[in-house]
Amino acid sequence: MKNFEIFQYIFFKWTMALLIGLCTGLIGFCNNIGVENIAGFKFLQTINYVRQEKYVKGFTYFAGCNLLLATVTAALCAYIAPAAAGSGIPEVKAYLNGVDAHSILAPSTLFVKIIGSILGVAAGFVVGKEGPMVHTGACIASLLGQGGSRKYHLTWKWLTYFKNDRDRRDLITCGAAAGVAAAFRAPVGGVLFALEEVASWWRSALLWRTFFTTAVVAVVLRSLIGFCRHGNCGLFGEGGLIMFDVNHATTKWSALDLVTLAILGVIGGVLGSLYNYLVDKVLRTYNIINKKGPMFKVLLVITISLLTSCCSYGLPWFAPCTPCPPESGNECPSIGRSGNYKNFNCQDGHYNDLASLMFTTNDDAIRNLFNSNSKNDFHLSTLYAFFGAMYCLGIITYGIAIPSGLFIPVILAGASYGRLIGTLMGQFCNLDAGLFAILGAASFLGGTMRMTVSLCVILLELTNDLLMLPLVMIVLLISKSVADNFNEGVYDQIVKMKGLPFMEIHAEPYMRHLAANDVVTGPLVSFSSVERVGIIIHALRATGHNGFPIIDEPPFTDAPELCGLALRSHLLVLLKAKKFTKQQHLMRSDIKKSFKAIDFAKPGSGKGIKIEDLIIKDEEMNMYVDLHPITNTSPYTVVETMSLAKVAVLFRDLGLRHLCVVPKTPGRPPIVGVLTRHDFTPEHVLGLYPHLKHILK
Amino acid sequence: MKNFEIFQYIFFKWTMALLIGLCTGLIGFCNNIGVENIAGFKFLQTINYVRQEKYVKGFTYFAGCNLLLATVTAALCAYIAPAAAGSGIPEVKAYLNGVDAHSILAPSTLFVKIIGSILGVAAGFVVGKEGPMVHTGACIASLLGQGGSRKYHLTWKWLTYFKNDRDRRDLITCGAAAGVAAAFRAPVGGVLFALEEVASWWRSALLWRTFFTTAVVAVVLRSLIGFCRHGNCGLFGEGGLIMFDVNHATTKWSALDLVTLAILGVIGGVLGSLYNYLVDKVLRTYNIINKKGPMFKVLLVITISLLTSCCSYGLPWFAPCTPCPPESGNECPSIGRSGNYKNFNCQDGHYNDLASLMFTTNDDAIRNLFNSNSKNDFHLSTLYAFFGAMYCLGIITYGIAIPSGLFIPVILAGASYGRLIGTLMGQFCNLDAGLFAILGAASFLGGTMRMTVSLCVILLELTNDLLMLPLVMIVLLISKSVADNFNEGVYDQIVKMKGLPFMEIHAEPYMRHLAANDVVTGPLVSFSSVERVGIIIHALRATGHNGFPIIDEPPFTDAPELCGLALRSHLLVLLKAKKFTKQQHLMRSDIKKSFKAIDFAKPGSGKGIKIEDLIIKDEEMNMYVDLHPITNTSPYTVVETMSLAKVAVLFRDLGLRHLCVVPKTPGRPPIVGVLTRHDFTPEHVLGLYPHLKHILK
């Protein structure tokens, strides 16, 4: 590459990061405005009916709105882009691990994810927007990186630089980080989230580019929020760059507090892992229902929507009305939408504390729980009811056909759990109930997601309270440690349930008892370095392999030896160009001249040449083609007797897709087989050697 | 390993993390107290002389104190532990990259580093304690991990679990993170620093353990600071967990401000890279002086100490006295040590603003610069003078024989530069001068250290001002980008200058033009799998190799084939046990029984068996020993024709120390050579192929 090309490449990389940041920030903001306006309007109207004592009409209106929004979302997800349902984080995680699953990052998925997330959250489901935002960011990055979508006639030529796995992965990592940054307005948290949870390979250079992307997101959000301060965005207008700005004036703590926190963490860890367990069970049940067809998906969404509406509207009626505290002044009862003191069904001067939590957007409920103005804002019974409702609704909502983030449900349940403990411990503890809510949220997040550093920073950026950092750290560590004894993190669980061949960073213990050639299976399909066209075509049709070993054979060498590895996509490009010869001879330089590097670049998803696209005449089938120009002559190889555990580490650490296994003793064919990702999956290995199942971790 | 052993191992790992956190936190706190008390006493006494108008006596006292402290530090560094001089971060970085340089982590180094850092900072040098703290943390981790020091008869048996490179590296990474956390009271920043700057390999599990360590540090510091609040620690008593708590009430910024910041970042980047350039030049000069002997080292320190004393004491005399602003009340002039308004030589009711910066500890100077109470606390001339002094003193101080961190000098110069720009831009800008000081510090840090995310988080935790995060990000990114055009980060520069064979994460471009066998050199020394003792002894004496290929030969196999790789340390253990046989035959199981895994564990630095320790009789020299039990039969191998760039990636990513190169064609000896770290260094490769030098990056 010339100097200029390198400069152009670097310039485009940074431009892409900038664009990803801009787009994701913008979409995140639109999402915010959309939800706040739709949900706000819905709540205002319903409250009006309640104030006029038209209770049934109020419920009908409320449930009707929710149902309409939910049905539209479900229809979009079920009929247009099934890949847009759910969180999206497991899929992005698998993609960055090297799993190119179908349509995960397609334009239709992006569209449904954006719209569906707005409508789904506005429909009052106990779901968040952070998972969908991560997925959205990744989709944007993918679309930008592959130069638009050919299917929808949206292509641009100047952005076709990123034609290899690594550049794509880098972009999508940036996109995922930007998604978190946009959802939580947490730029550093976004970077750490991408690092800790999403990315499988990480380089320092990537840290730096990801950071730039999230900085752009932060600036975009900041500017737009500034613009909205002046009342230009309808009902949106609250909140600065910090989502839940709760400066707990003094954060003093004693040894006794630490004991309380330890207990909080332990229980949080247990409840968190139970949450994972239940989500898994529910998800498996839902999968059975969802497989029956799109109509069933929609029906399931409708059922859950009605149930959620009943809870949100119904439960507050059981809560008693509380007189407004005198020091609250104008704040109580709140007339508008947000605020700690919802009037709901109470007479003037009173408020319904359960309505303040249930009958509002999820963001506002969290803000109310994190609030630390007064210890007695919420009755114990209210917190019990809210915690129970959120825990159960969160579990039964994930898995229905809407874009649904897991963070917010977990934070909701965790914050109410924390506030509950805080209220119970009231007189024994120096920490206020709002801080307890934050710590409870931390314990639940630690118990379900099992991230530590990124959650800590996200919580820090969410609440702007640096002094509670050590407390959050302790709670997170305890709850994660406890939960790790029971099951694995919720995203790993979902990845596994979806059957994606995720490569873990560690080799499994049973691999130490096997060698590379123990798992090499299937008939090996290899080509001679100057091969007959017919043989190649036949092999490409008959197998699904993506990599083929190329063997140098006499007359070109004395004995057969491994020349290298050729990829299916490159073979197809070569065959399409039809540089065939009648005789079996070398024509390396000839061929090299007629191609450019870009011809062999990895195409976007669904854009490559397919074997069906090739039209080869019969006489051409007997001609020869020289495979040297497309052969990777330095493939990574391992000796057949090498420990499978070490092979797995090599495969994973270097991010390979094919690994050649060569024989140890001379005098045999120069290659034993090719290992791919699937050969390392527990299903494959333990399928071959079931007796190794008992070997513990 | 049995279940119990695994549990024990994990338990010890976490215990170690806890201990490292406790010790590092404690030492960090002692360092703080020590510096504040020594320096505070010195300043108070000197001020007393000045107030009594005994100016010469004041200077003599001041310079004398500094000189005494400096000389003690220099003597310790020069005579006891030369490895303790300097920052220590480059050495730790190299160690974590796999360079086991001599005595970097020895107990004597630890001792001198702790004492020297306290005395050096108290002596008024423009140095910080963060580099030394990182080194201290790493030393503690190393000592704890290898179960004490045999040399000083401090050993404990139960901590001898961590006998391999990876566990040691993990512990030392935790130690380095704990060091940053203790120095800056920045737990998250510490983790990120370890991740971004120090560690060469990183796993998610490590993130989590590092985080635990820094959380412990934070809790330790918090408790101790709480204890000191009640006046139990002499002159120490200021400051909470946040070092420079500067909540800039409103942080609003406009587009014009962003332009100003861009300019600030560009200039900061240029000045930062110039700083690196000058540090490099000065360091090379100092190295020549320091090589002449310990006496010269001490003399150099004395010279710099006198120069620094002259600046600190002399420069404030040129500054005019300013009347105290009426709103400052009791604060001005400050009677005690800290505060923005030093009285120094002025009459009552006036203050000397340059003295507030120069004639105080570095931490207080930074606090004063970051302070945003009033825009006009500092005259322009004061800031010019202070910036110039700090920039020059910082450059000439690094490299003398004292433990010296680079962060604080860079922050000092950067903060004064930022405050200068802020004061100059005063009327055009919404941002206050204190915020400008922070941003200036960020620009200088970005320009010299070239870290982004970790610096950002450290600055955030130092100042507790979350809203300025996007601004800091932008400035850091700009200054790093600008500075990257001129030279590399200061730590990389020092690593290179010290001649440590650091493996970069990227393969160098010229490596693409070479194959593995192009760089394999030297006569290959290999052993037969059942080898004569004399041959092994001779080879171990004659070469310095640490890994030897083992070849299976007839009669054990049909043709010679590669059995694996044996390490020098394992050969020595085997030879010491004297399991020799008269005849050349296998005795694998026999030998295996007589050793435990722990016998072959990697010894602590300087603790292994040496070839000189072996006493082999003459008749034993002709006996045979079976090397199979100590042979690693799954070494990583590459084919000789493989591209050197790919080989380098394999070597680096898997963290290897030896890589076997095998022949491509059969019928030759089964191994071509062994590649080690040194074979990938530019010196070696470009020494062999000088014509590749012109290939650009």
Side-chain angles (χ1 to χ4, degrees), chain B residues 169-496:
Chain B
R169 276 203 302 261
D170 285 1
L171 286 178
I172 285 166
T173 309
C174 286
V180 174
F184 290 123
R185 304 182 198 158
V188 179
V191 173
L192 283 173
F193 177 82
L195 165 62
E196 194 177 6
E197 185 60 31
V198 184
S200 289
W201 294 278
W202 193 265
R203 292 165 298 127
S204 226
L206 192 52
L207 195 66
W208 163 210
R209 200 162 317 115
T210 314
F211 188 44
F212 173 70
T213 316
T214 59
V216 171
V217 172
V219 172
V220 168
L221 284 180
R222 168 120 204 174
S223 322
L224 292 174
I225 290 170
F227 172 76
C228 279
R229 276 259 168 69
H230 311 298
N232 302 320
C233 309
L235 293 171
F236 182 88
E238 290 273 327
L241 193 62
I242 309 298
M243 263 175 121
F244 311 117
D245 202 339
V246 281
N247 248 310
H248 298 96
T250 49
T251 325
K252 281 183 189 159
W253 28 277
S254 65
L256 181 69
D257 298 340
L258 290 184
V259 176
T260 317
L261 289 192
I263 297 169
L264 183 91
V266 170
I267 301 178
V270 172
L271 287 175
S273 62
L274 180 66
Y275 195 92
N276 284 6
Y277 175 79
L278 293 174
V279 162
D280 190 58
K281 290 287 159 220
V282 169
L283 210 42
R284 283 174 198 276
T285 318
Y286 283 179
N287 276 350
I288 298 169
I289 300 173
N290 285 341
K291 268 185 195 147
K292 291 190 180 162
M295 207 53 225
F296 283 87
K297 286 188 185 179
V298 177
L299 281 177
L300 185 59
V301 172
I302 289 176
T303 315
I304 302 293
S305 171
L306 285 175
L307 193 63
T308 310
S309 297
C310 289
C311 281
S312 301
Y313 191 86
L315 281 181
W317 294 95
F318 297 103
C321 290
T322 317
C324 284
E327 72 273 14
S328 63
N330 275 339
E331 298 262 306
C332 176
S334 60
I335 302 148
R337 199 173 37 77
S338 75
N340 235 342
Y341 306 103
K342 277 264 154 114
N343 188 256
F344 203 60
N345 60 333
C346 301
Q347 68 264 47
D348 285 341
H350 287 64
Y351 70 99
N352 183 327
D353 58 351
L354 189 49
S356 304
L357 297 176
M358 290 294 288
F359 199 68
T360 183
T361 58
N362 297 334
D363 282 5
D364 278 331
I366 295 174
R367 195 172 291 127
N368 290 341
L369 284 169
F370 283 2
N371 194 297
S372 62
N373 288 337
S374 156
K375 283 199 183 187
N376 303 317
D377 279 354
F378 300 106
H379 294 279
L380 269 181
S381 57
T382 302
L383 290 171
Y384 276 118
F386 186 67
F387 170 66
M390 287 302 120
Y391 197 82
C392 298
L393 284 177
I395 288 167
I396 61 167
T397 306
Y398 191 83
I400 64 174
I402 58 168
S404 47
L406 271 166
F407 269 91
I408 297 289
V410 171
I411 292 180
L412 274 171
S416 48
Y417 151 74
R419 186 121 196 167
L420 187 60
I421 301 274
T423 311
L424 285 172
M425 294 292 296
Q427 52 269 56
F428 307 108
C429 235
N430 300 322
L431 307 174
D432 72 55
L435 183 56
F436 257 107
I438 295 175
L439 296 172
S443 75
F444 260 53
L445 288 170
T448 51
M449 317 264 164
R450 314 291 162 82
M451 295 170 273
T452 51
V453 184
S454 51
L455 279 179
C456 197
V457 175
I458 289 175
L459 276 175
L460 176 66
E461 290 186 293
L462 274 179
T463 58
N464 195 21
D465 194 352
L466 203 63
L467 285 169
M468 59 155 202
L469 192 59
L471 298 183
V472 173
M473 279 180 158
I474 293 167
V475 169
L476 269 175
L477 288 170
I478 292 174
S479 70
K480 180 185 148 83
S481 310
V482 169
D484 271 343
N485 293 319
F486 297 109
N487 48 28
E488 53 185 352
V490 67
Y491 295 126
D492 292 318
Q493 207 171 270
I494 296 172
V495 165
K496 218 164 251 180

Side-chain angles (χ1 to χ4, degrees), chain B residues 535-543 548 568 571-572 575 611:
Chain B
I535 291 179
I536 299 176
I537 296 281
H538 177 74
L540 290 179
R541 284 204 183 121
T543 71
F548 298 89
R568 166 182 287 261
L571 283 168
L572 288 168
L575 290 176
I611 179 76

Side-chain angles (χ1 to χ4, degrees), chain A residues 53 73 151 234 303 317 372 375 396 486 499 516 521 524 605:
Chain A
E53 303 196 1
T73 314
K151 191 172 162 194
T303 315
W317 294 94
S372 62
K375 283 197 184 189
I396 61 168
F486 297 109
T521 51
L524 175 67
S605 54

